[in-house]
Coordinates of all heavy atoms in Angstrom, one line a residue:
D1 N 9.1 -12.0 5.5 CA 8.2 -12.0 6.7 C 7.7 -10.6 6.8 O 8.4 -9.6 7.1 CB 9.0 -12.4 7.9 CG 8.3 -12.4 9.2 OD1 7.2 -11.7 9.2 OD2 8.7 -13.1 10.1
G2 N 6.4 -10.4 6.6 CA 5.8 -9.1 6.7 C 5.8 -8.4 8.1 O 5.5 -7.2 8.1
R3 N 6.1 -9.1 9.1 CA 6.0 -8.6 10.4 C 7.2 -7.6 10.7 O 7.1 -6.8 11.7 CB 6.1 -9.7 11.5 CG 4.8 -10.5 11.5 CD 5.0 -11.7 12.3 NE 6.0 -12.6 11.7 CZ 6.2 -13.8 12.0 NH1 5.5 -14.4 12.9 NH2 7.2 -14.5 11.4
S4 N 8.2 -7.5 9.9 CA 9.3 -6.6 10.1 C 9.0 -5.2 9.4 O 9.8 -4.3 9.4 CB 10.6 -7.2 9.6 OG 10.5 -7.5 8.2
F5 N 7.9 -5.1 8.7 CA 7.6 -3.9 7.9 C 6.6 -3.1 8.7 O 5.7 -3.6 9.5 CB 6.9 -4.2 6.7 CG 7.8 -4.9 5.6 CD1 7.6 -6.2 5.4 CD2 8.8 -4.2 5.0 CE1 8.5 -6.9 4.5 CE2 9.6 -4.8 4.1 CZ 9.4 -6.2 3.8
V6 N 6.7 -1.7 8.7 CA 5.7 -0.8 9.3 C 4.5 -0.7 8.4 O 3.3 -0.7 8.8 CB 6.4 0.6 9.5 CG1 5.4 1.6 9.9 CG2 7.5 0.5 10.4
C7 N 4.7 -0.7 7.0 CA 3.7 -0.6 6.0 C 4.3 -1.0 4.7 O 5.5 -1.1 4.6 CB 3.0 0.7 6.0 SG 4.1 2.1 5.6
A8 N 3.5 -1.2 3.7 CA 4.0 -1.4 2.4 C 3.3 -0.5 1.3 O 2.1 -0.5 1.3 CB 3.8 -2.9 2.0
L9 N 4.1 0.2 0.6 CA 3.5 1.0 -0.6 C 4.1 0.3 -1.8 O 5.3 0.2 -2.1 CB 4.0 2.4 -0.5 CG 3.5 3.3 -1.6 CD1 1.9 3.4 -1.5 CD2 4.0 4.7 -1.4
L10 N 3.1 -0.3 -2.6 CA 3.5 -1.1 -3.7 C 3.1 -0.5 -5.0 O 2.1 0.2 -5.1 CB 2.8 -2.5 -3.6 CG 3.1 -3.3 -2.3 CD1 2.1 -4.4 -2.2 CD2 4.5 -3.7 -2.2
D11 N 3.8 -0.8 -6.1 CA 3.3 -0.4 -7.4 C 2.2 -1.4 -7.9 O 2.4 -2.6 -7.6 CB 4.5 -0.4 -8.5 CG 4.2 0.4 -9.7 OD1 3.1 0.3 -10.1 OD2 5.1 0.9 -10.2
L12 N 1.2 -0.9 -8.5 CA 0.1 -1.9 -8.9 C 0.6 -2.7 -10.1 O 0.2 -3.9 -10.2 CB -1.1 -1.0 -9.4 CG -2.2 -0.9 -8.4 CD1 -3.4 -0.2 -9.1 CD2 -2.7 -2.2 -7.8
E13 N 1.4 -2.2 -11.0 CA 1.8 -2.9 -12.1 C 3.3 -3.2 -12.0 O 4.2 -2.3 -12.2 CB 1.5 -2.1 -13.4 CG 0.1 -1.9 -13.6 CD -0.3 -0.8 -14.6 OE1 0.3 0.2 -14.6 OE2 -1.1 -1.2 -15.5
V14 N 3.6 -4.4 -11.6 CA 5.0 -4.9 -11.4 C 5.4 -5.9 -12.4 O 5.2 -7.1 -12.3 CB 5.1 -5.6 -10.0 CG1 6.5 -5.8 -9.7 CG2 4.5 -4.6 -8.9
G15 N 5.9 -5.4 -13.5 CA 6.2 -6.4 -14.6 C 5.0 -7.1 -15.1 O 4.0 -6.5 -15.3
A16 N 5.1 -8.4 -15.2 CA 4.0 -9.2 -15.6 C 3.1 -9.5 -14.4 O 2.0 -10.0 -14.6 CB 4.5 -10.5 -16.2
D17 N 3.5 -9.2 -13.2 CA 2.8 -9.4 -12.0 C 1.9 -8.2 -11.6 O 1.9 -7.1 -12.2 CB 3.7 -9.7 -10.8 CG 4.5 -11.0 -11.0 OD1 3.9 -11.9 -11.5 OD2 5.6 -11.0 -10.5
C18 N 1.0 -8.4 -10.6 CA 0.1 -7.4 -10.2 C 0.4 -7.1 -8.7 O 0.5 -8.1 -7.9 CB -1.3 -7.9 -10.3 SG -2.5 -6.7 -9.8
G19 N 0.6 -5.9 -8.4 CA 0.9 -5.5 -7.0 C -0.2 -5.9 -6.0 O 0.1 -6.1 -4.8
I20 N -1.4 -6.1 -6.5 CA -2.5 -6.6 -5.6 C -2.1 -7.9 -5.0 O -2.4 -8.2 -3.9 CB -3.8 -6.5 -6.4 CG1 -4.2 -5.2 -6.8 CG2 -4.9 -7.1 -5.5 CD1 -5.4 -5.1 -7.8
A21 N -1.7 -8.8 -5.9 CA -1.3 -10.2 -5.4 C -0.2 -10.1 -4.3 O -0.2 -10.8 -3.3 CB -0.9 -11.1 -6.6
I22 N 0.7 -9.2 -4.6 CA 1.8 -9.0 -3.6 C 1.3 -8.5 -2.3 O 1.6 -8.9 -1.2 CB 2.9 -8.1 -4.2 CG1 3.6 -8.8 -5.4 CG2 4.0 -7.8 -3.1 CD1 4.4 -7.9 -6.2
G23 N 0.4 -7.5 -2.4 CA -0.3 -6.9 -1.2 C -1.1 -8.0 -0.4 O -1.0 -8.0 0.8
R24 N -1.8 -8.7 -1.1 CA -2.6 -9.8 -0.4 C -1.7 -10.8 0.2 O -2.0 -11.3 1.3 CB -3.5 -10.5 -1.4 CG -4.7 -9.7 -1.8 CD -5.6 -10.4 -2.8 NE -6.7 -9.6 -3.1 CZ -7.3 -9.5 -4.3 NH1 -6.9 -10.2 -5.3 NH2 -8.3 -8.7 -4.5
A25 N -0.6 -11.2 -0.4 CA 0.4 -12.1 0.2 C 1.0 -11.5 1.4 O 1.1 -12.3 2.4 CB 1.5 -12.5 -0.8
L26 N 1.3 -10.3 1.4 CA 1.9 -9.7 2.6 C 0.8 -9.6 3.8 O 1.2 -9.9 4.9 CB 2.3 -8.2 2.3 CG 3.6 -8.1 1.6 CD1 3.8 -6.6 1.1 CD2 4.8 -8.5 2.4
R27 N -0.4 -9.3 3.4 CA -1.5 -9.3 4.4 C -1.8 -10.8 5.0 O -2.1 -10.9 6.1 CB -2.8 -8.9 3.7 CG -2.9 -7.4 3.7 CD -3.4 -6.8 5.0 NE -3.5 -5.4 4.9 CZ -4.4 -4.7 4.4 NH1 -5.4 -5.3 3.7 NH2 -4.4 -3.4 4.4
E28 N -1.6 -11.7 4.1 CA -1.7 -13.1 4.6 C -0.6 -13.4 5.7 O -0.9 -14.0 6.7 CB -1.5 -14.1 3.5 CG -2.4 -15.3 3.6 CD -2.3 -16.1 2.4 OE1 -3.1 -15.8 1.4 OE2 -1.6 -17.2 2.4
L29 N 0.6 -12.9 5.5 CA 1.7 -13.1 6.5 C 1.4 -12.2 7.7 O 1.7 -12.6 8.8 CB 3.0 -12.7 5.9 CG 3.6 -13.6 4.8 CD1 4.8 -12.9 4.2 CD2 3.9 -14.9 5.5
C30 N 0.8 -11.0 7.5 CA 0.7 -10.1 8.6 C -0.6 -9.3 8.4 O -0.6 -8.3 7.7 CB 1.9 -9.2 8.7 SG 1.9 -8.0 10.1
P31 N -1.7 -9.8 8.9 CA -3.0 -9.2 8.6 C -3.2 -7.7 9.0 O -3.9 -7.0 8.4 CB -4.0 -10.1 9.4 CG -3.3 -11.4 9.6 CD -1.8 -11.0 9.7
A32 N -2.4 -7.2 10.0 CA -2.5 -5.9 10.4 C -1.7 -4.9 9.6 O -1.7 -3.7 9.8 CB -2.2 -5.7 11.9
L33 N -0.8 -5.4 8.6 CA 0.0 -4.6 7.9 C -0.7 -3.7 7.0 O -1.5 -4.1 6.1 CB 1.0 -5.5 7.0 CG 2.0 -4.7 6.2 CD1 3.1 -4.1 7.1 CD2 2.7 -5.7 5.1
P34 N -0.5 -2.4 7.1 CA -1.1 -1.4 6.2 C -0.5 -1.5 4.8 O 0.7 -1.5 4.6 CB -0.8 0.0 6.8 CG -0.5 -0.3 8.2 CD 0.2 -1.7 8.2
V35 N -1.3 -1.7 3.8 CA -0.8 -1.9 2.4 C -1.5 -0.8 1.5 O -2.7 -0.7 1.5 CB -1.1 -3.3 1.9 CG1 -0.7 -3.4 0.4 CG2 -0.4 -4.4 2.6
G36 N -0.6 -0.1 0.8 CA -1.2 0.9 -0.1 C -0.5 0.7 -1.6 O 0.4 0.0 -1.7
F37 N -1.0 1.4 -2.5 CA -0.5 1.3 -3.8 C -0.2 2.7 -4.5 O -1.1 3.6 -4.3 CB -1.6 0.6 -4.7 CG -1.9 -0.8 -4.2 CD1 -2.9 -1.0 -3.4 CD2 -1.0 -1.9 -4.5 CE1 -3.2 -2.3 -2.9 CE2 -1.3 -3.1 -4.0 CZ -2.4 -3.3 -3.2
L38 N 0.8 2.7 -5.3 CA 1.1 3.9 -6.0 C 1.1 3.5 -7.5 O 1.7 2.5 -7.9 CB 2.5 4.4 -5.7 CG 3.0 5.7 -6.2 CD1 2.2 6.8 -5.7 CD2 4.5 5.9 -5.7
T39 N 0.4 4.2 -8.3 CA 0.2 3.8 -9.7 C -0.1 4.8 -10.7 O -0.5 5.9 -10.3 CB -1.0 2.7 -9.7 OG1 -1.1 2.1 -11.0 CG2 -2.3 3.4 -9.5
A40 N 0.1 4.5 -11.9 CA -0.2 5.4 -13.0 C -1.4 4.7 -13.8 O -1.8 5.2 -14.8 CB 0.9 5.6 -14.0
A41 N -1.8 3.6 -13.4 CA -2.9 2.8 -14.0 C -4.2 3.6 -14.1 O -4.5 4.3 -13.1 CB -3.1 1.4 -13.3
E42 N -4.9 3.3 -15.1 CA -6.2 4.0 -15.3 C -7.3 3.0 -15.4 O -8.5 3.4 -15.5 CB -6.2 4.9 -16.5 CG -5.2 6.1 -16.3 CD -5.1 7.0 -17.6 OE1 -6.0 6.8 -18.5 OE2 -4.3 7.9 -17.6
D43 N -7.0 1.7 -15.4 CA -8.0 0.6 -15.4 C -8.9 0.7 -14.1 O -8.4 0.3 -13.1 CB -7.3 -0.7 -15.6 CG -8.3 -1.9 -15.7 OD1 -9.4 -1.8 -15.3 OD2 -7.8 -2.9 -16.2
Q44 N -10.1 1.1 -14.3 CA -11.0 1.3 -13.1 C -11.2 0.0 -12.4 O -11.3 -0.1 -11.1 CB -12.3 1.9 -13.5 CG -12.2 3.4 -13.9 CD -11.6 4.2 -12.8 OE1 -12.0 4.2 -11.6 NE2 -10.5 5.0 -13.2
R45 N -11.3 -1.2 -13.1 CA -11.5 -2.5 -12.5 C -10.3 -2.8 -11.6 O -10.4 -3.3 -10.5 CB -11.7 -3.5 -13.6 CG -12.5 -4.7 -13.0 CD -12.9 -5.7 -14.1 NE -11.6 -6.5 -14.4 CZ -11.2 -6.6 -15.6 NH1 -11.8 -6.1 -16.7 NH2 -10.1 -7.3 -15.9
L46 N -9.1 -2.6 -12.1 CA -7.9 -2.8 -11.4 C -7.8 -1.9 -10.1 O -7.5 -2.3 -9.1 CB -6.7 -2.6 -12.3 CG -5.3 -2.8 -11.6 CD1 -5.1 -4.2 -11.3 CD2 -4.2 -2.3 -12.6
L47 N -8.1 -0.6 -10.3 CA -8.1 0.3 -9.2 C -9.1 -0.1 -8.1 O -8.8 0.0 -6.9 CB -8.4 1.8 -9.7 CG -7.3 2.3 -10.7 CD1 -7.7 3.6 -11.2 CD2 -6.0 2.5 -10.0
E48 N -10.3 -0.5 -8.5 CA -11.3 -0.9 -7.6 C -10.9 -2.0 -6.7 O -11.1 -2.2 -5.6 CB -12.7 -1.2 -8.2 CG -13.4 0.1 -8.7 CD -14.6 -0.2 -9.5 OE1 -15.2 -1.2 -9.4 OE2 -14.9 0.7 -10.4
E49 N -10.2 -3.1 -7.4 CA -9.7 -4.2 -6.8 C -8.6 -3.9 -5.8 O -8.6 -4.4 -4.7 CB -9.2 -5.2 -7.9 CG -9.0 -6.6 -7.3 CD -10.3 -7.3 -6.8 OE1 -11.4 -7.0 -7.3 OE2 -10.1 -8.2 -6.0
A50 N -7.8 -3.0 -6.2 CA -6.7 -2.5 -5.3 C -7.2 -1.8 -4.1 O -6.7 -2.1 -2.9 CB -5.7 -1.6 -6.0
R51 N -8.3 -1.1 -4.2 CA -8.8 -0.3 -3.1 C -9.5 -1.3 -2.1 O -9.7 -0.9 -0.9 CB -9.9 0.7 -3.6 CG -9.3 1.9 -4.2 CD -10.3 2.9 -4.6 NE -9.7 4.0 -5.3 CZ -9.8 4.2 -6.6 NH1 -10.5 3.3 -7.4 NH2 -9.2 5.1 -7.3
K52 N -9.8 -2.5 -2.4 CA -10.2 -3.5 -1.5 C -9.1 -3.9 -0.5 O -9.4 -4.4 0.6 CB -10.8 -4.7 -2.2 CG -12.0 -4.4 -2.9 CD -12.5 -5.7 -3.7 CE -13.7 -5.4 -4.6 NZ -14.1 -6.5 -5.4
V53 N -7.9 -3.7 -0.9 CA -6.7 -4.1 -0.1 C -6.2 -2.8 0.7 O -5.8 -3.0 1.8 CB -5.6 -4.6 -1.0 CG1 -4.3 -5.0 -0.2 CG2 -6.1 -5.9 -1.8
G54 N -6.2 -1.7 0.1 CA -5.7 -0.5 0.7 C -5.8 0.7 -0.2 O -6.3 0.7 -1.3
P55 N -5.4 1.9 0.3 CA -5.5 3.1 -0.5 C -4.7 3.1 -1.8 O -3.6 2.4 -1.8 CB -5.0 4.2 0.5 CG -4.1 3.5 1.4 CD -4.7 2.1 1.6
V56 N -5.2 3.8 -2.8 CA -4.4 3.9 -4.1 C -4.1 5.3 -4.3 O -5.0 6.2 -4.3 CB -5.4 3.3 -5.2 CG1 -4.7 3.4 -6.5 CG2 -5.7 1.9 -4.9
F57 N -2.8 5.6 -4.6 CA -2.4 6.9 -4.9 C -1.9 7.0 -6.3 O -1.2 6.1 -6.8 CB -1.2 7.3 -3.9 CG -1.5 7.1 -2.5 CD1 -1.2 6.0 -1.8 CD2 -2.3 8.1 -1.9 CE1 -1.5 5.9 -0.4 CE2 -2.6 8.0 -0.5 CZ -2.2 6.9 0.2
C58 N -2.3 8.1 -7.0 CA -1.9 8.3 -8.4 C -0.4 8.9 -8.4 O -0.1 9.9 -7.7 CB -2.8 9.3 -9.1 SG -2.3 9.8 -10.7
K59 N 0.5 8.3 -9.2 CA 1.9 8.7 -9.3 C 2.0 10.1 -9.8 O 2.8 10.9 -9.3 CB 2.6 7.8 -10.3 CG 3.0 6.4 -9.7 CD 3.7 5.7 -10.7 CE 4.1 4.3 -10.2 NZ 4.9 3.5 -11.2
A60 N 1.1 10.5 -10.7 CA 1.2 11.9 -11.3 C 0.7 13.0 -10.4 O 1.3 14.1 -10.4 CB 0.4 11.9 -12.6
T61 N -0.2 12.7 -9.5 CA -0.8 13.8 -8.7 C -0.9 13.6 -7.2 O -1.2 14.6 -6.5 CB -2.2 14.1 -9.2 OG1 -3.0 12.9 -9.0 CG2 -2.2 14.5 -10.7
E62 N -0.6 12.4 -6.7 CA -0.8 12.1 -5.3 C 0.4 11.6 -4.6 O 0.3 10.9 -3.5 CB -2.0 11.2 -5.1 CG -3.3 11.7 -5.7 CD -4.4 10.8 -5.5 OE1 -4.3 9.6 -5.7 OE2 -5.5 11.3 -5.1
T63 N 1.6 11.8 -5.2 CA 2.8 11.3 -4.5 C 3.0 11.9 -3.1 O 3.4 11.2 -2.2 CB 4.1 11.6 -5.4 OG1 3.9 11.1 -6.7 CG2 5.3 11.0 -4.8
D64 N 2.6 13.2 -2.9 CA 2.7 13.8 -1.6 C 1.8 13.1 -0.6 O 2.1 12.9 0.5 CB 2.4 15.3 -1.7 CG 1.1 15.6 -2.3 OD1 0.5 14.8 -3.1 OD2 0.6 16.7 -2.0
L65 N 0.5 12.7 -1.1 CA -0.4 12.0 -0.2 C 0.2 10.6 0.2 O 0.0 10.2 1.3 CB -1.7 11.8 -0.9 CG -2.5 13.1 -1.2 CD1 -3.8 12.8 -2.0 CD2 -2.8 13.8 0.2
A66 N 0.9 10.0 -0.8 CA 1.5 8.6 -0.5 C 2.6 8.7 0.5 O 2.7 8.0 1.5 CB 2.0 8.0 -1.8
L67 N 3.4 9.8 0.4 CA 4.4 10.0 1.4 C 3.9 10.4 2.7 O 4.3 9.9 3.8 CB 5.4 11.1 0.9 CG 6.2 10.8 -0.3 CD1 7.0 12.1 -0.7 CD2 7.2 9.7 0.0
G68 N 2.8 11.1 2.8 CA 2.1 11.4 4.0 C 1.5 10.1 4.7 O 1.6 9.9 5.9
W69 N 1.0 9.2 3.9 CA 0.5 7.9 4.3 C 1.6 7.1 5.0 O 1.5 6.6 6.0 CB -0.1 7.2 3.2 CG -0.8 5.9 3.5 CD1 -2.0 5.7 4.1 CD2 -0.1 4.6 3.3 NE1 -2.2 4.3 4.2 CE2 -1.1 3.7 3.8 CE3 1.0 4.1 2.8 CZ2 -0.8 2.3 3.7 CZ3 1.3 2.8 2.8 CH2 0.4 1.9 3.2
L70 N 2.8 7.1 4.3 CA 4.0 6.4 4.8 C 4.4 7.0 6.2 O 4.7 6.3 7.1 CB 5.1 6.4 3.8 CG 5.0 5.6 2.6 CD1 6.1 5.9 1.6 CD2 5.0 4.1 2.9
E71 N 4.5 8.3 6.2 CA 4.9 9.0 7.4 C 4.0 8.7 8.6 O 4.5 8.5 9.7 CB 5.0 10.5 7.2 CG 6.2 10.9 6.3 CD 6.2 12.3 5.9 OE1 5.3 13.1 6.2 OE2 7.2 12.8 5.2
T72 N 2.7 8.7 8.3 CA 1.7 8.5 9.3 C 1.9 7.1 10.0 O 2.0 7.0 11.2 CB 0.3 8.6 8.8 OG1 0.1 10.0 8.4 CG2 -0.8 8.2 9.8
H73 N 2.1 6.1 9.2 CA 2.3 4.8 9.6 C 3.7 4.6 10.4 O 3.8 3.9 11.4 CB 2.1 3.7 8.6 CG 0.7 3.6 8.1 ND1 -0.2 3.1 9.0 CD2 0.1 4.0 7.0 CE1 -1.4 3.1 8.3 NE2 -1.3 3.7 7.2
Y74 N 4.7 5.3 9.9 CA 6.0 5.2 10.5 C 5.9 5.9 11.9 O 6.4 5.4 12.9 CB 7.0 5.9 9.7 CG 8.4 5.9 10.3 CD1 9.1 4.7 10.3 CD2 9.0 7.0 10.8 CE1 10.4 4.7 10.9 CE2 10.3 7.0 11.3 CZ 10.9 5.8 11.4 OH 12.2 5.8 12.0
E75 N 5.3 7.1 12.0 CA 5.2 7.8 13.2 C 4.3 7.0 14.2 O 4.6 7.0 15.4 CB 4.5 9.2 13.0 CG 5.5 10.1 12.3 CD 4.9 11.4 11.8 OE1 3.6 11.6 12.0 OE2 5.7 12.2 11.2
D76 N 3.2 6.4 13.7 CA 2.4 5.5 14.6 C 3.3 4.4 15.2 O 3.2 4.1 16.4 CB 1.2 4.9 13.8 CG 0.1 5.9 13.5 OD1 0.2 7.0 14.0 OD2 -0.7 5.6 12.7
Q77 N 4.1 3.8 14.4 CA 5.0 2.7 14.9 C 6.0 3.2 15.9 O 6.3 2.6 16.9 CB 5.8 2.1 13.7 CG 6.6 0.9 14.1 CD 5.7 -0.3 14.6 OE1 4.6 -0.4 14.2 NE2 6.3 -1.1 15.4
L78 N 6.5 4.5 15.7 CA 7.4 5.1 16.7 C 6.7 5.3 18.0 O 7.3 5.0 19.1 CB 8.0 6.4 16.2 CG 9.1 6.3 15.1 CD1 9.4 7.7 14.6 CD2 10.2 5.5 15.5
S79 N 5.4 5.7 18.0 CA 4.7 6.0 19.2 C 4.4 4.7 19.9 O 4.6 4.6 21.2 CB 3.3 6.6 18.9 OG 3.5 7.9 18.3
V80 N 4.1 3.6 19.2 CA 3.9 2.3 19.9 C 5.2 1.8 20.5 O 5.2 1.3 21.6 CB 3.4 1.2 18.8 CG1 3.4 -0.2 19.4 CG2 2.0 1.7 18.3
A81 N 6.3 2.0 19.8 CA 7.6 1.5 20.3 C 8.0 2.3 21.6 O 8.7 1.7 22.5 CB 8.6 1.6 19.2
A82 N 7.6 3.6 21.6 CA 8.1 4.4 22.8 C 7.2 4.1 24.0 O 7.6 4.4 25.1 CB 7.9 5.9 22.4
S83 N 6.0 3.5 23.8 CA 5.1 3.2 24.9 C 5.6 2.1 25.8 O 6.3 1.3 25.6 CB 3.8 2.9 24.4 OG 3.2 3.9 23.6

């Protein structure tokens, strides 16, 4: 149930599956859920498709940005809970 998550940071390449499908399934359960991707993929078509769902962070160079994205959503949730 996606409603218990603050956000989801998924790997684009999950074994034989695609993280985009997982992200879309989570969004179907909870449309407001922020979904992002962390990847080493270089396939531009895959990256463009993922960006339609949420931000895409490169594992090699943007891990700090991905962590910042997670922290922002967590802090936003804390602010809402405190209100």
Side-chain angles (χ1 to χ4, degrees):
D1 177 341
R3 293 172 294 198
S4 62
F5 294 105
V6 171
C7 61
L9 183 61
L10 307 169
D11 197 326
L12 264 185
E13 299 170 308
V14 186
D17 293 325
C18 178
I20 297 169
I22 296 168
R24 286 183 178 142
L26 285 170
R27 278 276 178 77
E28 212 169 283
L29 290 171
C30 186
L33 181 70
V35 175
F37 300 97
L38 189 62
T39 188
E42 295 180 3
D43 179 341
Q44 290 303 310
R45 203 174 77 232
L46 180 67
L47 296 173
E48 287 174 26
E49 194 64 27
R51 285 186 188 103
K52 292 177 185 175
V53 178
V56 177
F57 303 99
C58 175
K59 285 182 181 179
T61 60
E62 298 181 321
T63 305
D64 57 334
L65 294 175
L67 290 173
W69 181 82
L70 288 170
E71 288 172 356
T72 297
H73 288 290
Y74 181 72
E75 289 169 1
D76 288 350
Q77 186 65 26
L78 287 177
S79 296
V80 169
S83 301

